[in-house]
Amino acid sequence: MQKAAISRRRNWAKWLQTTSLNLSMQSFKSVEKYTLGMGDRFARQGKAQLAAIAQARTMGIGVTPVWNKSNREHSLVGTEPASVLAEAEAAVAALEWAGGFHVDADHIHLQTVDRFIAPSDFFTLDVADYVGQRATEESIEGFIQENWHLRGRVFIPGLDEPLAIDEQLLRATAEKFLWAMEEAGRIYRYIAERKERNRFITEVSVDETDRPQTPAELLLILAMIAREGIPVQTIAPKFTGRFNKGVDYVGDLAQFEKEFDEDLYVVAFAIREFGLPETLKLSVHSGSDKFSLYPIIRRLIRQHDAGLHVKTAGTTWLEELIGLAESGGEGLTLAAEIYARAMTRFEELVKPYAPVVDIDPARLPIPGEVARWSSAQFVGALRHVPSCPEYNPHFRQFLHVSFKIAAEFGEAYTAALATNEAIIARNVTGNLFSRHILPLFS
């Protein structure tokens, strides 16, 4: 076993020495151990979000904020990526924040990356759409030959059983994932040609695929990423179960724990085996409100002494709605009007998010009924407290994907946010700090 491991390392080292993509010769920006992706649809809650991070720092919890917003979200709201950097810088100045922060170009492709290059220093390369597209035969054969030394039983410290990798698995994994990782390489090099390598962080996302990757597949995917010369800092695999927007995890907790644990061992092994950055860590997408998973994740990252990136996004927008509803009067009326208009465009709003929501239209309240709700009823239905009798996960998921409607209210919506800033900020900060940061990182 020891001889086999030495042989693999020697073979890989030899390949690195002969390739122009030697990762050890590249400089790159290192990511902090714990990072939290914070979305803000309307760029109004930067200070409230950062306040949660600052509060954690006073308790010795070191989490670095990463403001993120995807191209789709910018398009729906009518904003530009530069607005995310402006929001982050304004929050940092207002709170006199001395720690680091990042701005994430979330889920970008070659066709959308240009507008993000200048203001961003964190790039999530989303190549899930390319999974299943076949690379050239020459490339597939090259990958198989370069990783021939992985055939057999790969002993990864910590795993109960060695990974069984044969030629069939090498080929099948290359046929499914290699083109996607080559596309990640093309995006990475495009950014690197326009931005110094030591000025940005790279994440590769393969979470929106048809099924979870096995440990052996994840190992080979990381080999593909190394082959492309990408100094990947975070990897977002697909885990078992449903990671729906804004609600808790649905699935087998024991199976998730097993997969997360195995993936942590594979990442640590790949760092040594392929010369990937030592700061490489797992990323959990649609990670907000996965309350049943947080104790598992917290325990495992401590056990492995591993880093973690968790993306929370639309929950900030939901906390804005909760704050408006709590304020009563015009704020409550506006929240109900947003819902009523959204219901007339149900299919349009839900379709882009279909893989990450489970909404039963029959479980959604009638708009006329919602218009008569009190503040307590609206907040009870929307706030993620499953023990509350009024809580409605279908209502919450639907409003999660309906932020486009609020954007169409224009100044009426942003003015309401300004009028009710204090109550909204309290909700935004409290949600991030008490319900996300503490259970994950404390």
Side-chain angles (χ1 to χ4, degrees), residues 14-216:
K14 182 177 179 181
W15 180 80
L16 282 177
Q17 289 170 1
T18 59
T19 180
S20 60
L21 299 177
N22 190 335
L23 290 173
S24 66
M25 298 302 291
Q26 295 183 350
S27 59
F28 50 86
K29 187 170 187 174
S30 292
V31 70
E32 295 83 356
K33 189 171 186 177
Y34 300 137
T35 46
L36 185 69
M38 309 185 305
D40 190 359
R41 302 291 192 249
F42 299 97
R44 300 284 172 147
Q45 307 307 326
K47 289 189 292 184
Q49 291 171 324
L50 186 57
I53 302 290
Q55 188 174 350
R57 285 288 175 98
T58 65
M59 300 176 61
I61 304 171
V63 181
T64 299
V66 181
W67 278 275
N68 58 270
K69 195 169 183 178
S70 70
N71 188 68
R72 176 167 59 189
E73 290 156 9
H74 281 296
S75 299
L76 291 174
V77 177
T79 53
E80 290 293 329
S83 66
V84 181
L85 176 60
E87 177 191 16
E89 290 178 335
V92 166
L95 273 64
E96 299 182 342
W97 174 251
F101 71 93
H102 304 291
V103 174
D104 181 8
D106 193 15
H107 287 286
I108 49 91
H109 306 82
L110 269 178
Q111 296 80 7
T112 59
V113 69
D114 280 319
R115 63 200 296 228
F116 290 91
I117 289 177
S120 304
D121 70 337
F122 191 121
F123 292 83
T124 299
L125 313 185
D126 182 1
V127 292
D129 289 346
Y130 300 93
V131 172
Q133 295 189 33
R134 191 183 180 94
T136 66
E137 287 303 318
E138 180 182 6
S139 186
I140 291 172
E141 291 300 328
F143 175 77
I144 292 171
Q145 292 305 312
E146 290 159 11
N147 292 277
W148 197 248
H149 59 282
L150 292 175
R151 284 183 314 117
R153 291 158 60 83
V154 180
F155 291 86
I156 294 183
L159 290 187
D160 293 335
E161 298 289 336
L163 302 185
I165 298 178
D166 57 16
E167 182 179 358
Q168 182 180 358
L169 180 61
L170 273 171
R171 186 173 299 278
T173 307
E175 290 175 351
K176 183 172 183 177
F177 292 103
L178 185 56
W179 177 262
M181 296 310 113
E182 289 177 344
E183 181 67 12
R186 286 185 281 270
I187 302 170
Y188 168 74
R189 289 186 290 276
Y190 185 89
I191 299 168
E193 288 169 0
R194 291 155 180 80
K195 198 177 187 80
E196 294 178 21
R197 292 187 182 94
N198 61 359
R199 293 184 57 205
F200 69 93
I201 292 161
T202 305
E203 172 174 303
V204 176
S205 166
V206 286
D207 65 304
E208 295 184 9
T209 52
D210 59 339
R211 61 175 179 79
Q213 295 89 36
T214 66

Side-chain angles (χ1 to χ4, degrees), residues 254-271:
Q255 179 61 25
F256 171 82
E257 181 172 357
K258 180 176 183 293
E259 291 176 8
F260 198 85
D261 189 41
E262 290 173 342
D263 286 354
L264 287 170
Y265 282 120
V266 169
V267 167
F269 179 81
I271 289 170

Side-chain angles (χ1 to χ4, degrees), residues 301-433:
I301 60 174
R302 285 192 166 195
Q303 178 182 314
H304 287 257
D305 191 22
L308 177 70
H309 181 56
V310 176
K311 285 197 174 185
T312 69
T315 49
T316 291
W317 134 250
L318 292 180
E319 294 303 322
E320 288 179 341
L321 280 182
I322 288 170
L324 291 176
E326 274 190 331
S327 69
E330 293 181 358
L332 176 61
T333 299
L334 177 58
E337 288 179 356
I338 289 171
Y339 176 71
R341 289 195 193 181
M343 281 293 285
T344 67
R345 295 158 64 179
F346 179 87
E347 295 296 335
E348 170 196 346
L349 297 170
V350 172
K351 185 177 180 180
Y353 294 93
V356 285
V357 293
D358 285 318
I359 302 170
D360 181 355
R363 302 288 299 276
L364 293 172
I366 299 169
E369 175 190 345
V370 174
R372 296 188 294 272
W373 277 357
S374 66
S375 290
Q377 287 175 299
F378 195 105
V379 171
L382 184 55
R383 180 175 281 152
H384 190 180
V385 182
S387 61
C388 176
E390 288 82 18
Y391 172 62
N392 185 333
H394 304 275
F395 182 68
R396 182 174 171 85
Q397 288 179 86
F398 180 57
L399 280 173
H400 194 294
V401 302
S402 298
F403 59 92
K404 179 181 179 180
I405 305 301
E408 292 174 358
F409 274 80
E411 188 176 349
Y413 182 71
T414 54
L417 296 183
T419 300
N420 299 284
E421 180 180 359
I423 192 170
I424 291 171
R426 173 173 56 79
N427 280 285
V428 170
T429 301
N431 176 59
L432 279 178
F433 177 72

